[in-house]
Amino acid sequence: ASQVEKGKELELKEQFDALRREHTETLQELQRAHEQEKLLLAESHHRSEAALQETIQALNSQLKSFQDRMKRVEESLLRTDYKKHIQEHGSPSPFWEQELESLHFVIEMKNEHIHSLDKKLLHLETVEERNLLLEEKVKTLQQENEDLQVRTQNHLVMARQLSEELQAARGALEKEAQLRDQARREKEELLYRVLNAGDGSPFPMAAGEVPLIAT
């Protein structure tokens, strides 16, 4: 019986140690994955910043190019149109000539503005898609972190339960050992009295030994 009890205690201890090892390995694995994902996000963020900086530089270059084109419009295109109009219809009055010049200028500006808005819209759509991807990654990391906390808490609860069960098993084994010692002592005392009946000699006890009382 003692061998069975020791085997049971050893089995409980092995289960507890295995669970503790599994908990430690799982926690380390999740932490490594979490740190790796954070590094990937940081790299992606840096790449996005670099891409945005390049886009800003490109937009500044486009703005300068636009300003140069507008200057060419003012200096060449409108004058060409005016000369052609004068050749075909004669010279208009100063008022209508100014109105026509303003109209051509506004039309060119509107066309350039529309092209610029189209490019900006395309860029904003691209940036929005990147932001959505980053938000999804952040949500995924947050969920993994919450799952990690829950799993850690569950492992701690199971570890405490196994520890309590192991402690209870040890207490039960100690109590059972005390009861066996008491039964053996009582059996030896009874046998001694039967064999030495009538001589009045007391049952010998080892030094420091006291009778055990069943609880």
Side-chain angles (χ1 to χ4, degrees):
S2 175
Q3 189 67 27
V4 173
E5 292 162 358
K6 289 182 180 179
K8 181 178 180 181
E9 181 180 359
L10 181 60
E11 182 181 356
L12 286 174
K13 185 176 184 302
E14 289 176 350
Q15 290 178 357
F16 175 74
D17 292 340
L19 181 60
R20 183 169 55 188
R21 287 194 300 271
E22 179 185 358
H23 163 67
T24 302
E25 292 173 357
T26 302
L27 181 61
Q28 291 175 349
E29 180 181 354
L30 290 174
Q31 287 176 340
R32 284 195 297 269
H34 181 67
E35 291 298 327
Q36 183 66 23
E37 189 67 22
K38 284 172 60 179
L39 290 175
L40 292 176
L41 276 179
E43 292 176 359
S44 177
H45 177 68
H46 291 321
R47 287 195 299 268
S48 297
E49 284 185 342
L52 287 176
Q53 187 64 30
E54 292 178 359
T55 302
I56 291 173
Q57 293 175 356
L59 289 175
N60 287 334
S61 177
Q62 291 176 6
L63 176 60
K64 186 178 183 303
S65 177
F66 167 72
Q67 291 172 343
D68 293 339
R69 286 197 300 270
M70 290 310 302
K71 185 177 181 180
R72 289 194 299 270
V73 167
E74 292 176 354
E75 293 178 351
S76 61
L77 178 60
L78 291 181
R79 289 184 180 181
T80 301
D81 289 341
Y82 296 154
K83 289 179 180 179
K84 183 178 180 181
H85 179 81
I86 290 173
Q87 290 174 357
E88 294 176 354
H89 303 286
S91 178
S93 64
F95 172 78
W96 288 111
E97 184 175 354
Q98 184 178 2
E99 287 295 316
L100 184 60
E101 180 180 357
S102 299
L103 180 59
H104 279 284
F105 184 80
V106 169
I107 289 174
E108 292 294 336
M109 287 292 291
K110 292 293 184 183
N111 287 335
E112 291 291 339
H113 185 59
I114 288 172
H115 291 310
S116 176
L117 288 179
D118 287 339
K119 293 178 181 179
K120 288 182 179 179
L121 179 60
L122 180 61
H123 169 68
L124 289 176
E125 289 176 350
T126 302
V127 172
E128 184 178 3
E129 290 177 358
R130 291 176 180 174
N131 288 337
L132 289 176
L133 290 176
L134 287 176
E135 289 177 0
E136 289 297 326
K137 288 184 177 180
V138 169
K139 290 180 181 179
T140 301
L141 278 179
Q142 291 175 343
Q143 184 62 44
E144 289 179 354
N145 190 38
E146 293 176 0
D147 294 342
L148 174 62
Q149 293 177 353
V150 171
R151 294 182 64 178
T152 300
Q153 186 63 29
N154 291 338
H155 278 85
L156 290 176
V157 171
M158 294 181 66
R160 284 196 297 267
Q161 291 177 348
L162 279 176
S163 179
E164 292 174 357
E165 292 177 1
L166 183 60
Q167 188 66 28
R170 287 175 177 173
L173 289 174
E174 292 176 357
K175 186 175 182 179
E176 188 173 347
Q178 291 177 355
L179 292 176
R180 286 200 308 270
D181 290 341
Q182 181 180 352
R184 178 185 57 80
R185 180 66 182 177
E186 291 176 351
K187 180 179 178 182
E188 291 176 354
E189 183 178 356
L190 180 60
L191 180 61
Y192 180 85
R193 289 177 178 176
V194 169
L195 295 176
N196 298 278
D199 60 1
S201 59
F203 178 70
M205 297 180 65
E209 183 180 9
V210 295
L212 297 175
I213 300 177
T215 59

